[in-house]
């Protein structure tokens, strides 16, 4: 199976621009023969908690229909990030689309303390099944909590999908933690991070994949947009970048 982690530079609050980049990365994943593709935390809006309440949509919103079409047309399982509203609650959502299936929501269960002013935590872990494998999404802060990985392992998960928006400090922690998760639970780990401004910090990319022994297989750089492509059958991974992308400064 091929699992792809997307890395790109979201534009704060600009759904349409971010959607266009998502579709470009879907096309790139299709050229790689991907089975699963997932994006960074709140990828369709950027990680912007202050804006989340005004940007949040219901999971059934028609603006997400294009991902179901992509999933159906390319036999591709896709996970995208979006603030999701249900009643009076706003969640850090990850919406999953599988071929010819009803879309499903994973809501971040373990919030960072700073996020409680804007979001409520989810209550249930989502398990995704594809080609005999079980994949567990984890969103940013909770992906650095070993109890979340322990719960994933209890569900017999094979692949841990870390969808994040991480600064240099957060990335340093991730680079130490994810190999431990992989080794402890005999799971592949693959991380999708964004690049550029996120809330009041700078996300630093460097999306990556680890094998079940915790060995780093591939990692993209801190600026490029593209994919990390994990091939589970031979425990290999590679980086595929979007062609002709512009170079952006890393500081304001």
């Amino acid at each position: 199976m091929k699992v792809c982690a997307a890395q790109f530079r979201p534009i704060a609050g600009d759904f349409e621009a971010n959607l266009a980049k998502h579709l470009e990365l879907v096309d790139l994943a299709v050229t790689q023969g991907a089975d699963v593709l997932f994006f960074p935390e709140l990828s369709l809006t950027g990680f912007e908690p202050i804006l989340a309440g005004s940007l949040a949509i219901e999971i059934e919103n028609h603006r997400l229909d294009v991902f179901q079409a992509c999933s159906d047309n390319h036999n591709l399982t896709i996970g995208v990030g979006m603030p999701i509203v249900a009643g009076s609650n706003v969640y850090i959502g990850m919406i999953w689309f599988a071929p010819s299936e009803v879309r499903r929501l994973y809501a971040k269960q373990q919030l960072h303390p700073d996020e409680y002013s804007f979001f409520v935590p989810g209550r249930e872990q989502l398990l995704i099944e594809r080609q005999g494998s079980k994949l567990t999404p984890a969103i940013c802060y909770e992906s650095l909590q070993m109890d979340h990985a322990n719960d994933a392992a209890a569900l017999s998960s094979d692949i841990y999908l870390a969808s994040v928006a991480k600064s240099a400090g957060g990335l340093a922690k991730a680079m130490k933690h994810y190999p431990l998760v992989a080794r402890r639970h005999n799971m592949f780990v693959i991380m999708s991070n964004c690049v550029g401004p996120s809330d009041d910090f700078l996300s630093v990319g460097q999306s990556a994949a680890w094998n079940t022994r915790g060995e780093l297989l591939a990692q993209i750089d801190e600026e490029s947009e593209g994919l990390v492509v994990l091939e589970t059958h031979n425990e290999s991974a590679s980086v595929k970048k979007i062609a002709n992308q512009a170079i952006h400064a890393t500081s304001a």
Side-chain angles (χ1 to χ4, degrees):
M1 184 167 65
K2 288 187 178 181
V3 181
C4 292
Q7 176 171 303
F8 79 109
R9 180 182 295 268
I11 299 174
D14 193 333
F15 179 91
E16 294 301 329
N18 294 327
L19 174 61
K21 185 63 69 172
H22 278 63
L23 297 180
E24 186 176 0
L25 287 160
V26 167
D27 288 344
L28 181 58
V30 170
T31 68
Q32 301 304 308
D35 300 293
V36 178
L37 167 66
F38 73 104
F39 288 83
E41 183 177 23
L42 295 179
S43 56
L44 283 165
T45 61
F47 182 77
E48 302 292 339
I50 293 174
L51 302 178
S54 62
L55 296 171
I57 61 175
E58 295 180 342
I59 188 174
E60 299 87 1
N61 191 286
H62 69 89
R63 288 189 290 172
L64 301 175
D65 292 352
V66 63
F67 292 110
Q68 188 62 60
C70 289
S71 176
D72 294 343
N73 292 339
H74 301 296
N75 192 30
L76 179 64
T77 298
I78 305 170
V80 301
M82 185 74 194
I84 294 295
V85 63
S88 60
N89 296 327
V90 176
Y91 298 95
I92 296 179
M94 194 172 193
I95 307 94
W96 284 91
F97 302 85
S100 302
E101 295 184 12
V102 175
R103 66 188 68 170
R104 302 168 71 192
L105 173 65
Y106 175 62
K108 185 176 185 177
Q109 298 175 88
Q110 298 187 34
L111 301 179
H112 188 277
D114 293 344
E115 295 169 343
Y116 278 94
S117 297
F118 308 99
F119 305 102
V120 297
R123 298 180 178 179
E124 186 176 357
Q125 182 61 54
L126 180 66
L127 189 67
I128 299 155
E129 298 192 45
R130 176 82 190 220
Q131 295 184 1
S133 292
K134 295 181 179 180
L135 304 90
T136 303
I139 301 178
C140 209
Y141 175 76
E142 67 186 6
S143 73
L144 295 182
Q145 313 309 309
M146 188 58 80
D147 60 338
H148 188 275
N150 293 344
D151 290 344
L155 295 172
S156 301
S157 182
D158 305 298
I159 306 172
Y160 197 61
L161 309 175
S163 169
V164 309
K166 288 201 176 297
S167 64
L171 181 73
K173 294 177 183 177
M175 295 301 294
K176 294 179 180 178
H177 180 75
Y178 296 149
L180 295 177
V181 170
R183 288 195 296 270
R184 175 176 293 187
H185 296 302
N186 194 38
M187 288 192 296
F188 292 97
V189 179
I190 181 167
M191 174 186 68
S192 169
N193 194 16
C194 51
V195 297
S198 299
D199 190 28
D200 59 353
F201 63 92
L202 196 67
S203 291
V204 295
Q206 300 173 69
S207 302
W210 292 261
N211 64 18
T212 57
R213 297 179 297 281
E215 298 166 339
L216 181 64
L217 297 176
Q219 186 169 33
I220 200 167
D221 59 55
E222 64 183 18
E223 279 287 312
S224 296
E225 296 179 306
L227 304 172
V228 175
V229 183
L230 170 65
E231 300 188 51
T232 61
H233 71 284
N234 61 7
E235 296 198 0
S236 68
S238 59
V239 169
K240 303 297 178 184
K241 298 181 182 180
I242 293 176
N244 302 318
Q245 56 191 292
I247 302 299
H248 300 267
T250 57
S251 59

